[in-house]
Amino acid sequence: MGLKSDFPNNSEYPGSETISYTDIYISFIESKMKKFPGIFNDVIGPVMRGPSSSHTAASWRIARTGLDILNEPLQKALVEFDGDGAWAPNYREQGTTMGFDGGLSGLEITDERMKSAASYALQKEIIIEYQVSSFPTDHANTVRLTLWGISEKKVQIIAVSLGGGSFEIRAVNGFPVQLNGDLYGLMIFSGNKTDISDELKNMIPPGVDFSSEQHGAVIKYEFKSSYPFPPEVMTRLRNKPVIDDIAVINPIMPVIAGRQTDMPFTSIPSLIDYARASDADLGELGLTYEKCISGNSEEELNAKMKEIILIIHKSIDTGLKGTHYTDRILRQQSHLIGNAEKEGKIWESVVNRIIENVSALMESKSAMEVIVAAPTAGSCGTVGGSLKAISEKMASSENELIKAYFAAGIVGAYFARGSGFSAEEHGCQVECGAASGMAAAGIVQLMGGTARQAIDAASMAIQNMIGLVCDPVADRVEVPCLGKNISAAVNAWASAIMAISGYDAVIPLDQVIQTVSNVGKTMPSCVKCTGKGGLAITEAALNIKNRLT
Ligand code: SF4
């Protein structure tokens, strides 16, 4: 029987009217091979509450995907961190518990109740325990999550947080897997039964990735797809007596993978060549990049970016109005710049507006208000704070600001392809350093500069941040994070001015990003978000930690 004819009601499969299964299949395979980071999936976002995207957003996403795999209401969870990993010393302070408590109790990450997610889990009578354990890992941010459902069904997951809210589930009940939250999935378990791989393969159309594996007496069958599985397929699978359990795994990332089209440029040098040949600016290239990655239309992507910008501007307004949160080091300070101007202590300037905006965003973040991680929650002030200030100074249009965010986004995407955004692996140079490069490119875009100038501005900005350590005081993402965000934003402004004026960046951006990775590898772990070095172990910091604990 032919594959297509064996698939019930093909027309139900979203996209089947315009895309052939072969196209979907090719696109899916290509996406797996290329693995280009997306601007919305990996750089600008998630929209979230919490102090840290690698702690709060990634743990929330792991928890929500874990619930899908468990496939029945949760009764109890054990969350374990490896004692030698970066999460063990600060999982409470940096919001990992907030992410797991909220995710496991079914809250959306922007829900106001995330602020008291532990109490919400208790109200729902879900028991969540945390433990520092010892288990083999190859990543600093690894978690072992064991879930028990109401029927005592047990699922054990090994997952890692990759920085900026990205994550990967790497094992389920001892089976190696690769789940990044950007595809629809089916995970099927069958114990002590005949292998039905061939039968299952024939039920599913091309375009769906299929794998099977046996572990002891249990066989795991896994499907991944860029489109939801049609109800008819689900019914046929559920009627198979040899299948014990079918977990439907829903994507949790904003953009679904596997729908991409060919990109006209890949490396940074090829992007610059393409920009020159097509006379495109970096904002246009950022939009083209995301269009190719996502398969979405320009209208959809511009609307998505507009929504992101509105959220960022609302976070700035919230911060400036004044925010409160008990477990916090810094009081509100963002209003002090305006006060000092009114009192004639300082004169008005665009730098003042940058400092004010960045402070407001960081204060919103520290008060667990909704923010956009860009590229991370810890560095959320830099891009949003500087682009708002400069766009207002220049009276930029909404479309110009959207383009500036796409220019910032594509720089972040190249950064994500390099070192990524995990301070636990590379220090703050990949948070505030990356944000500074992104902001510099966005500012050049706002000022009408070329793609080459925007890339050079990013290069100069990141060069100035190489080696920046991660040493948060009392494990809160506030000090020195606020100052680092402000410096990154002002550095972005200075780098943009230099690039527009024709200064020579000397080192190309791709080589700067590679250097960030190389330097990150040589940094000691005590200055990689472990709270064991840098400013975190000064007398003043230890006093603050004692006071807050
Ligand atoms: S020092 Fe930088 S990387 Fe570390 S928590 Fe603060 S903002 Fe994040």
Side-chain angles (χ1 to χ4, degrees):
M1 195 181 281
L3 294 178
K4 212 164 172 180
S5 60
D6 197 28
F7 188 69
N9 196 1
N10 285 333
S11 63
E12 292 286 321
Y13 203 71
S16 61
E17 321 78 44
T18 51
I19 305 172
S20 75
Y21 292 140
T22 309
D23 288 340
I24 298 169
Y25 180 70
I26 290 167
S27 161
F28 181 79
I29 296 301
E30 281 180 352
S31 78
K32 284 183 66 160
M33 283 163 55
K34 285 178 185 164
K35 271 285 171 199
F36 286 119
I39 290 177
F40 290 111
N41 274 4
D42 301 290
V43 183
I44 298 180
V47 178
M48 59 173 286
R49 288 180 194 269
S52 160
S53 44
S54 63
H55 289 72
T56 320
S59 55
W60 180 85
R61 285 169 166 172
I62 292 166
R64 291 294 288 259
T65 308
L67 287 184
D68 282 350
I69 297 170
L70 180 65
N71 195 26
E72 68 174 44
L74 177 68
Q75 186 177 65
K76 184 181 157 189
L78 174 64
V79 187
E80 295 171 276
F81 307 107
D82 178 51
D84 294 326
W87 264 354
N90 54 27
Y91 61 88
R92 280 190 199 285
E93 295 82 355
Q94 294 220 5
T96 313
T97 50
M98 180 183 174
F100 276 114
D101 291 341
L104 291 173
S105 49
L107 286 174
E108 292 303 318
I109 197 166
T110 51
D111 193 306
E112 176 87 21
R113 292 170 291 183
M114 281 292 289
K115 290 180 180 177
S116 51
S119 315
Y120 184 74
L122 273 178
Q123 267 175 39
K124 290 195 74 180
E125 298 183 342
I126 298 170
I127 301 161
I128 305 174
E129 289 173 3
Y130 292 88
Q131 199 169 291
V132 174
S133 305
S134 178
F135 51 88
T137 64
D138 60 359
H139 193 283
N141 288 342
T142 306
V143 62
R144 184 164 65 186
L145 176 64
T146 312
L147 305 175
W148 288 267
I150 50 169
S151 73
E152 294 294 316
K153 178 180 169 187
K154 179 180 160 187
V155 162
Q156 190 167 75
I157 288 164
I158 303 282
V160 298
S161 162
L162 301 171
S166 299
F167 72 100
E168 187 165 287
I169 293 183
R170 293 185 169 173
V172 173
N173 289 346
F175 288 99
V177 298
Q178 190 195 353
L179 300 174
N180 300 98
D182 54 2
L183 289 167
Y184 294 89
L186 293 182
M187 202 170 281
I188 298 173
F189 292 98
S190 168
N192 285 314
K193 312 260 172 53
T194 326
D195 187 337
I196 55 164
S197 295
D198 288 340
E199 195 184 335
L200 291 181
K201 261 188 266 179
N202 284 334
M203 277 180 63
I204 301 291
V208 177
D209 187 59
F210 174 79
S211 63
S212 65
E213 193 169 344
Q214 184 149 7
H215 196 70
V218 179
I219 304 177
K220 182 207 68 165
Y221 306 101
E222 199 180 343
F223 298 97
K224 290 181 190 171
S225 170
S226 301
Y227 298 90
F229 294 90
E232 294 82 358
V233 170
M234 298 308 300
T235 306
R236 285 180 65 183
L237 289 171
R238 287 194 175 107
N239 286 337
K240 294 215 166 293
V242 296
I243 290 177
D244 297 326
D245 187 33
I246 306 175
V248 179
I249 300 162
N250 294 301
I252 203 147
M253 303 302 278
V255 172
I256 307 296
R259 301 178 185 179
Q260 69 189 61
T261 53
D262 277 347
M263 194 124 42
F265 47 83
T266 49
S267 63
I268 295 174
S270 71
L271 172 145
I272 291 170
D273 288 346
Y274 180 81
R276 203 176 287 127
S278 60
D279 199 25
D281 59 38
L282 195 62
E284 287 161 347
L285 297 185
L287 180 60
T288 301
Y289 176 93
E290 189 66 4
K291 196 174 146 190
C292 296
I293 290 283
S294 66
N296 291 346
S297 69
E298 290 187 7
E299 293 70 32
E300 287 169 317
L301 296 172
N302 281 327
K304 216 182 257 278
M305 194 61 95
K306 182 179 165 186
E307 200 182 315
I308 289 278
I309 294 167
L310 286 174
I311 296 168
I312 292 173
H313 289 188
K314 190 165 176 230
S315 308
I316 292 174
D317 288 346
T318 304
L320 288 173
K321 279 184 196 143
T323 51
H324 304 280
Y325 195 71
T326 316
D327 186 8
R328 184 165 153 180
I329 300 172
L330 295 169
R331 63 193 166 94
Q332 193 204 354
Q333 300 178 112
S334 52
H335 63 298
L336 297 178
I337 305 290
N339 289 356
E341 280 175 353
K342 279 184 208 140
E343 291 164 15
K345 291 180 185 165
I346 55 174
W347 59 91
E348 210 178 308
S349 75
V350 74
V351 170
N352 295 5
R353 298 288 77 76
I354 292 175
I355 298 172
E356 191 174 68
N357 291 344
V358 174
S359 305
L361 280 169
M362 294 299 283
E363 286 168 4
S364 278
K365 174 199 63 61
S366 296
M368 309 304 141
E369 298 298 340
V370 174
I371 52 113
V372 177
T376 65
S379 60
C380 72
T382 304
V383 174
S386 57
L387 293 188
K388 183 166 190 285
I390 309 294
S391 63
E392 283 174 356
K393 180 76 185 166
M394 298 189 62
S396 309
S397 68
E398 183 180 272
N399 282 344
E400 284 165 338
L401 187 54
I402 288 172
K403 277 175 81 175
Y405 270 87
F406 277 111
I410 192 168
V411 168
Y414 280 107
F415 212 98
R417 277 179 85 182
S419 60
F421 302 120
S422 169
E424 291 82 356
E425 286 188 285
H426 298 288
C428 194
Q429 53 172 356
V430 300
E431 291 208 17
C432 291
S436 192
M438 290 167 59
I443 295 169
V444 169
Q445 176 68 42
L446 282 174
M447 296 173 82
T450 63
R452 175 62 196 259
Q453 287 170 328
I455 290 288
D456 280 354
S459 169
M460 287 190 265
I462 298 168
Q463 286 178 42
N464 300 336
M465 309 294 276
I466 287 178
L468 197 66
V469 299
C470 173
D471 52 352
V473 167
D475 298 316
R476 272 77 178 170
V477 188
E478 289 186 81
V479 184
C481 315
L482 171 64
K484 285 179 176 173
N485 270 265
I486 292 171
S487 304
V490 176
N491 174 51
W493 170 233
S495 301
I497 295 284
M498 288 192 282
I500 289 276
S501 307
Y503 278 47
D504 187 353
V506 182
I507 314 290
L509 179 60
D510 52 342
Q511 293 175 38
V512 172
I513 292 173
Q514 181 57 52
T515 305
V516 168
S517 287
N518 297 344
V519 170
K521 286 180 194 131
T522 65
M523 275 183 178
S525 67
C526 65
V527 288
K528 290 180 179 174
C529 209
T530 52
K532 293 176 182 166
L535 294 172
I537 55 167
T538 56
E539 189 184 336
L542 295 174
N543 287 340
I544 293 169
K545 189 165 183 170
N546 284 339
R547 174 164 59 80
L548 290 175
T549 310

mmCIF file of all heavy atoms in Angstrom, residues 326-356:
data_model
loop_
_atom_site.group_PDB
_atom_site.id
_atom_site.type_symbol
_atom_site.label_atom_id
_atom_site.label_comp_id
_atom_site.label_asym_id
_atom_site.label_seq_id
_atom_site.Cartn_x
_atom_site.Cartn_y
_atom_site.Cartn_z
ATOM 1 N N THR A 326 9.692 41.555 47.307
ATOM 2 C CA THR A 326 10.381 41.418 48.600
ATOM 3 C C THR A 326 11.821 40.953 48.446
ATOM 4 O O THR A 326 12.746 41.570 48.979
ATOM 5 C CB THR A 326 9.613 40.396 49.486
ATOM 6 O OG1 THR A 326 8.234 40.687 49.381
ATOM 7 C CG2 THR A 326 10.063 40.478 50.928
ATOM 8 N N ASP A 327 12.013 39.886 47.676
ATOM 9 C CA ASP A 327 13.351 39.273 47.597
ATOM 10 C C ASP A 327 14.193 40.001 46.546
ATOM 11 O O ASP A 327 14.425 39.505 45.448
ATOM 12 C CB ASP A 327 13.181 37.797 47.241
ATOM 13 C CG ASP A 327 14.510 37.061 47.289
ATOM 14 O OD1 ASP A 327 15.507 37.651 47.737
ATOM 15 O OD2 ASP A 327 14.557 35.898 46.864
ATOM 16 N N ARG A 328 14.654 41.179 46.908
ATOM 17 C CA ARG A 328 15.310 42.032 45.919
ATOM 18 C C ARG A 328 16.410 42.843 46.620
ATOM 19 O O ARG A 328 16.218 43.279 47.759
ATOM 20 C CB ARG A 328 14.218 42.938 45.348
ATOM 21 C CG ARG A 328 14.592 43.848 44.244
ATOM 22 C CD ARG A 328 13.324 44.378 43.584
ATOM 23 N NE ARG A 328 13.557 45.674 42.983
ATOM 24 C CZ ARG A 328 12.637 46.372 42.332
ATOM 25 N NH1 ARG A 328 11.406 45.903 42.235
ATOM 26 N NH2 ARG A 328 12.915 47.530 41.800
ATOM 27 N N ILE A 329 17.522 43.063 45.926
ATOM 28 C CA ILE A 329 18.626 43.823 46.524
ATOM 29 C C ILE A 329 18.397 45.323 46.342
ATOM 30 O O ILE A 329 18.537 46.109 47.279
ATOM 31 C CB ILE A 329 19.979 43.443 45.863
ATOM 32 C CG1 ILE A 329 20.272 41.950 46.045
ATOM 33 C CG2 ILE A 329 21.121 44.287 46.432
ATOM 34 C CD1 ILE A 329 21.483 41.466 45.250
ATOM 35 N N LEU A 330 18.074 45.721 45.117
ATOM 36 C CA LEU A 330 18.018 47.145 44.783
ATOM 37 C C LEU A 330 16.609 47.721 44.925
ATOM 38 O O LEU A 330 15.637 47.085 44.537
ATOM 39 C CB LEU A 330 18.481 47.349 43.331
ATOM 40 C CG LEU A 330 19.943 46.997 43.033
ATOM 41 C CD1 LEU A 330 20.193 46.996 41.532
ATOM 42 C CD2 LEU A 330 20.874 47.991 43.723
ATOM 43 N N ARG A 331 16.536 48.914 45.442
ATOM 44 C CA ARG A 331 15.266 49.648 45.440
ATOM 45 C C ARG A 331 15.057 50.237 44.045
ATOM 46 O O ARG A 331 15.956 50.171 43.195
ATOM 47 C CB ARG A 331 15.317 50.769 46.477
ATOM 48 C CG ARG A 331 16.381 51.799 46.141
ATOM 49 C CD ARG A 331 16.690 52.747 47.300
ATOM 50 N NE ARG A 331 17.915 53.464 47.007
ATOM 51 C CZ ARG A 331 17.998 54.658 46.433
ATOM 52 N NH1 ARG A 331 16.895 55.297 46.094
ATOM 53 N NH2 ARG A 331 19.143 55.244 46.184
ATOM 54 N N GLN A 332 13.911 50.872 43.827
ATOM 55 C CA GLN A 332 13.695 51.518 42.532
ATOM 56 C C GLN A 332 14.676 52.687 42.356
ATOM 57 O O GLN A 332 14.854 53.499 43.270
ATOM 58 C CB GLN A 332 12.264 52.044 42.411
ATOM 59 C CG GLN A 332 11.958 52.413 40.970
ATOM 60 C CD GLN A 332 10.851 53.432 40.813
ATOM 61 O OE1 GLN A 332 10.215 53.813 41.784
ATOM 62 N NE2 GLN A 332 10.630 53.876 39.593
ATOM 63 N N GLN A 333 15.326 52.739 41.193
ATOM 64 C CA GLN A 333 16.290 53.821 40.934
ATOM 65 C C GLN A 333 16.055 54.501 39.586
ATOM 66 O O GLN A 333 16.603 55.569 39.325
ATOM 67 C CB GLN A 333 17.726 53.269 40.961
ATOM 68 C CG GLN A 333 18.106 52.631 42.299
ATOM 69 C CD GLN A 333 19.512 52.050 42.300
ATOM 70 O OE1 GLN A 333 20.402 52.547 42.973
ATOM 71 N NE2 GLN A 333 19.714 50.995 41.536
ATOM 72 N N SER A 334 15.252 53.856 38.723
ATOM 73 C CA SER A 334 15.124 54.357 37.345
ATOM 74 C C SER A 334 14.581 55.785 37.296
ATOM 75 O O SER A 334 14.870 56.522 36.353
ATOM 76 C CB SER A 334 14.233 53.427 36.521
ATOM 77 O OG SER A 334 13.011 53.198 37.185
ATOM 78 N N HIS A 335 13.803 56.177 38.298
ATOM 79 C CA HIS A 335 13.222 57.530 38.299
ATOM 80 C C HIS A 335 14.258 58.595 38.687
ATOM 81 O O HIS A 335 14.016 59.791 38.520
ATOM 82 C CB HIS A 335 12.050 57.594 39.289
ATOM 83 C CG HIS A 335 12.448 57.358 40.708
ATOM 84 N ND1 HIS A 335 13.013 56.176 41.144
ATOM 85 C CD2 HIS A 335 12.407 58.164 41.802
ATOM 86 C CE1 HIS A 335 13.285 56.253 42.433
ATOM 87 N NE2 HIS A 335 12.929 57.450 42.858
ATOM 88 N N LEU A 336 15.402 58.172 39.204
ATOM 89 C CA LEU A 336 16.380 59.138 39.734
ATOM 90 C C LEU A 336 17.007 60.000 38.633
ATOM 91 O O LEU A 336 17.405 61.140 38.880
ATOM 92 C CB LEU A 336 17.478 58.404 40.520
ATOM 93 C CG LEU A 336 16.988 57.650 41.767
ATOM 94 C CD1 LEU A 336 18.146 56.913 42.434
ATOM 95 C CD2 LEU A 336 16.321 58.608 42.762
ATOM 96 N N ILE A 337 17.102 59.442 37.427
ATOM 97 C CA ILE A 337 17.719 60.201 36.324
ATOM 98 C C ILE A 337 16.848 61.422 36.004
ATOM 99 O O ILE A 337 17.339 62.553 35.910
ATOM 100 C CB ILE A 337 17.865 59.319 35.061
ATOM 101 C CG1 ILE A 337 18.653 58.037 35.384
ATOM 102 C CG2 ILE A 337 18.510 60.093 33.906
ATOM 103 C CD1 ILE A 337 20.110 58.226 35.676
ATOM 104 N N GLY A 338 15.547 61.169 35.850
ATOM 105 C CA GLY A 338 14.616 62.271 35.556
ATOM 106 C C GLY A 338 14.632 63.298 36.676
ATOM 107 O O GLY A 338 14.624 64.524 36.420
ATOM 108 N N ASN A 339 14.655 62.822 37.919
ATOM 109 C CA ASN A 339 14.697 63.746 39.064
ATOM 110 C C ASN A 339 15.952 64.618 39.023
ATOM 111 O O ASN A 339 15.895 65.833 39.227
ATOM 112 C CB ASN A 339 14.701 62.965 40.390
ATOM 113 C CG ASN A 339 13.359 62.305 40.669
ATOM 114 O OD1 ASN A 339 12.417 62.501 39.907
ATOM 115 N ND2 ASN A 339 13.272 61.528 41.729
ATOM 116 N N ALA A 340 17.087 63.975 38.740
ATOM 117 C CA ALA A 340 18.358 64.713 38.715
ATOM 118 C C ALA A 340 18.355 65.760 37.605
ATOM 119 O O ALA A 340 18.892 66.863 37.764
ATOM 120 C CB ALA A 340 19.523 63.743 38.542
ATOM 121 N N GLU A 341 17.720 65.427 36.482
ATOM 122 C CA GLU A 341 17.612 66.404 35.379
ATOM 123 C C GLU A 341 16.778 67.602 35.826
ATOM 124 O O GLU A 341 17.161 68.762 35.629
ATOM 125 C CB GLU A 341 16.953 65.759 34.153
ATOM 126 C CG GLU A 341 17.901 64.914 33.334
ATOM 127 C CD GLU A 341 17.186 64.194 32.195
ATOM 128 O OE1 GLU A 341 15.944 64.251 32.126
ATOM 129 O OE2 GLU A 341 17.885 63.563 31.388
ATOM 130 N N LYS A 342 15.623 67.287 36.468
ATOM 131 C CA LYS A 342 14.736 68.380 36.902
ATOM 132 C C LYS A 342 15.436 69.288 37.903
ATOM 133 O O LYS A 342 15.237 70.498 37.927
ATOM 134 C CB LYS A 342 13.467 67.796 37.543
ATOM 135 C CG LYS A 342 12.444 67.362 36.516
ATOM 136 C CD LYS A 342 11.174 66.880 37.193
ATOM 137 C CE LYS A 342 10.491 65.862 36.302
ATOM 138 N NZ LYS A 342 9.926 64.729 36.995
ATOM 139 N N GLU A 343 16.267 68.685 38.734
ATOM 140 C CA GLU A 343 16.969 69.477 39.759
ATOM 141 C C GLU A 343 18.210 70.166 39.196
ATOM 142 O O GLU A 343 18.932 70.833 39.932
ATOM 143 C CB GLU A 343 17.376 68.557 40.923
ATOM 144 C CG GLU A 343 16.175 68.050 41.733
ATOM 145 C CD GLU A 343 16.534 66.855 42.618
ATOM 146 O OE1 GLU A 343 17.745 66.597 42.821
ATOM 147 O OE2 GLU A 343 15.605 66.175 43.079
ATOM 148 N N GLY A 344 18.479 69.981 37.906
ATOM 149 C CA GLY A 344 19.626 70.640 37.273
ATOM 150 C C GLY A 344 20.967 70.028 37.651
ATOM 151 O O GLY A 344 22.023 70.610 37.390
ATOM 152 N N LYS A 345 20.949 68.808 38.243
ATOM 153 C CA LYS A 345 22.224 68.171 38.618
ATOM 154 C C LYS A 345 22.930 67.584 37.401
ATOM 155 O O LYS A 345 24.149 67.440 37.382
ATOM 156 C CB LYS A 345 21.956 67.033 39.606
ATOM 157 C CG LYS A 345 21.487 67.484 40.977
ATOM 158 C CD LYS A 345 21.269 66.257 41.847
ATOM 159 C CE LYS A 345 20.675 66.631 43.180
ATOM 160 N NZ LYS A 345 20.122 65.456 43.883
ATOM 161 N N ILE A 346 22.152 67.157 36.416
ATOM 162 C CA ILE A 346 22.718 66.619 35.170
ATOM 163 C C ILE A 346 21.945 67.235 34.009
ATOM 164 O O ILE A 346 20.817 67.707 34.199
ATOM 165 C CB ILE A 346 22.620 65.068 35.106
ATOM 166 C CG1 ILE A 346 21.171 64.603 35.309
ATOM 167 C CG2 ILE A 346 23.531 64.409 36.121
ATOM 168 C CD1 ILE A 346 20.961 63.115 35.129
ATOM 169 N N TRP A 347 22.567 67.286 32.835
ATOM 170 C CA TRP A 347 21.842 67.848 31.696
ATOM 171 C C TRP A 347 21.231 66.716 30.869
ATOM 172 O O TRP A 347 21.720 65.598 30.855
ATOM 173 C CB TRP A 347 22.741 68.741 30.853
ATOM 174 C CG TRP A 347 23.948 68.044 30.294
ATOM 175 C CD1 TRP A 347 24.043 67.417 29.102
ATOM 176 C CD2 TRP A 347 25.224 67.917 30.934
ATOM 177 N NE1 TRP A 347 25.297 66.889 28.948
ATOM 178 C CE2 TRP A 347 26.050 67.179 30.052
ATOM 179 C CE3 TRP A 347 25.766 68.356 32.155
ATOM 180 C CZ2 TRP A 347 27.377 66.864 30.356
ATOM 181 C CZ3 TRP A 347 27.079 68.038 32.456
ATOM 182 C CH2 TRP A 347 27.860 67.310 31.563
ATOM 183 N N GLU A 348 20.143 67.062 30.196
ATOM 184 C CA GLU A 348 19.399 66.057 29.438
ATOM 185 C C GLU A 348 20.241 65.520 28.279
ATOM 186 O O GLU A 348 20.934 66.297 27.613
ATOM 187 C CB GLU A 348 18.129 66.709 28.886
ATOM 188 C CG GLU A 348 16.993 65.727 28.749
ATOM 189 C CD GLU A 348 15.734 66.401 28.238
ATOM 190 O OE1 GLU A 348 15.325 67.418 28.824
ATOM 191 O OE2 GLU A 348 15.209 65.887 27.246
ATOM 192 N N SER A 349 20.185 64.210 28.051
ATOM 193 C CA SER A 349 20.901 63.624 26.913
ATOM 194 C C SER A 349 20.286 62.276 26.586
ATOM 195 O O SER A 349 19.559 61.695 27.406
ATOM 196 C CB SER A 349 22.384 63.432 27.245
ATOM 197 O OG SER A 349 22.532 62.321 28.099
ATOM 198 N N VAL A 350 20.619 61.766 25.399
ATOM 199 C CA VAL A 350 20.088 60.462 25.003
ATOM 200 C C VAL A 350 20.660 59.364 25.901
ATOM 201 O O VAL A 350 19.995 58.354 26.173
ATOM 202 C CB VAL A 350 20.343 60.207 23.495
ATOM 203 C CG1 VAL A 350 21.811 59.891 23.223
ATOM 204 C CG2 VAL A 350 19.471 59.087 22.978
ATOM 205 N N VAL A 351 21.866 59.585 26.389
ATOM 206 C CA VAL A 351 22.459 58.590 27.296
ATOM 207 C C VAL A 351 21.625 58.484 28.585
ATOM 208 O O VAL A 351 21.419 57.386 29.118
ATOM 209 C CB VAL A 351 23.942 58.941 27.607
ATOM 210 C CG1 VAL A 351 24.497 58.066 28.723
ATOM 211 C CG2 VAL A 351 24.788 58.783 26.358
ATOM 212 N N ASN A 352 21.119 59.626 29.058
ATOM 213 C CA ASN A 352 20.249 59.584 30.255
ATOM 214 C C ASN A 352 19.039 58.703 30.008
ATOM 215 O O ASN A 352 18.618 57.920 30.861
ATOM 216 C CB ASN A 352 19.761 60.984 30.621
ATOM 217 C CG ASN A 352 20.880 61.895 31.053
ATOM 218 O OD1 ASN A 352 22.041 61.501 30.998
ATOM 219 N ND2 ASN A 352 20.552 63.113 31.456
ATOM 220 N N ARG A 353 18.443 58.874 28.806
ATOM 221 C CA ARG A 353 17.240 58.080 28.484
ATOM 222 C C ARG A 353 17.603 56.591 28.395
ATOM 223 O O ARG A 353 16.839 55.728 28.804
ATOM 224 C CB ARG A 353 16.603 58.548 27.152
ATOM 225 C CG ARG A 353 16.114 59.984 27.119
ATOM 226 C CD ARG A 353 14.849 60.222 27.944
ATOM 227 N NE ARG A 353 15.028 60.314 29.373
ATOM 228 C CZ ARG A 353 15.525 61.384 30.023
ATOM 229 N NH1 ARG A 353 15.880 62.451 29.383
ATOM 230 N NH2 ARG A 353 15.658 61.364 31.338
ATOM 231 N N ILE A 354 18.784 56.309 27.854
ATOM 232 C CA ILE A 354 19.215 54.893 27.781
ATOM 233 C C ILE A 354 19.333 54.331 29.200
ATOM 234 O O ILE A 354 18.792 53.260 29.515
ATOM 235 C CB ILE A 354 20.576 54.769 27.031
ATOM 236 C CG1 ILE A 354 20.412 55.111 25.550
ATOM 237 C CG2 ILE A 354 21.139 53.360 27.185
ATOM 238 C CD1 ILE A 354 21.723 55.128 24.748
ATOM 239 N N ILE A 355 20.010 55.074 30.079
ATOM 240 C CA ILE A 355 20.216 54.578 31.455
ATOM 241 C C ILE A 355 18.862 54.363 32.147
ATOM 242 O O ILE A 355 18.624 53.338 32.798
ATOM 243 C CB ILE A 355 21.090 55.566 32.264
ATOM 244 C CG1 ILE A 355 22.481 55.688 31.630
ATOM 245 C CG2 ILE A 355 21.215 55.116 33.722
ATOM 246 C CD1 ILE A 355 23.353 56.773 32.239
ATOM 247 N N GLU A 356 17.975 55.333 31.954
ATOM 248 C CA GLU A 356 16.648 55.265 32.584
ATOM 249 C C GLU A 356 15.867 54.036 32.081
ATOM 250 O O GLU A 356 15.302 53.270 32.873
ATOM 251 C CB GLU A 356 15.915 56.549 32.176
ATOM 252 C CG GLU A 356 14.647 56.870 32.868
ATOM 253 C CD GLU A 356 14.186 58.262 32.393
ATOM 254 O OE1 GLU A 356 13.809 58.409 31.210
ATOM 255 O OE2 GLU A 356 14.210 59.180 33.208
#
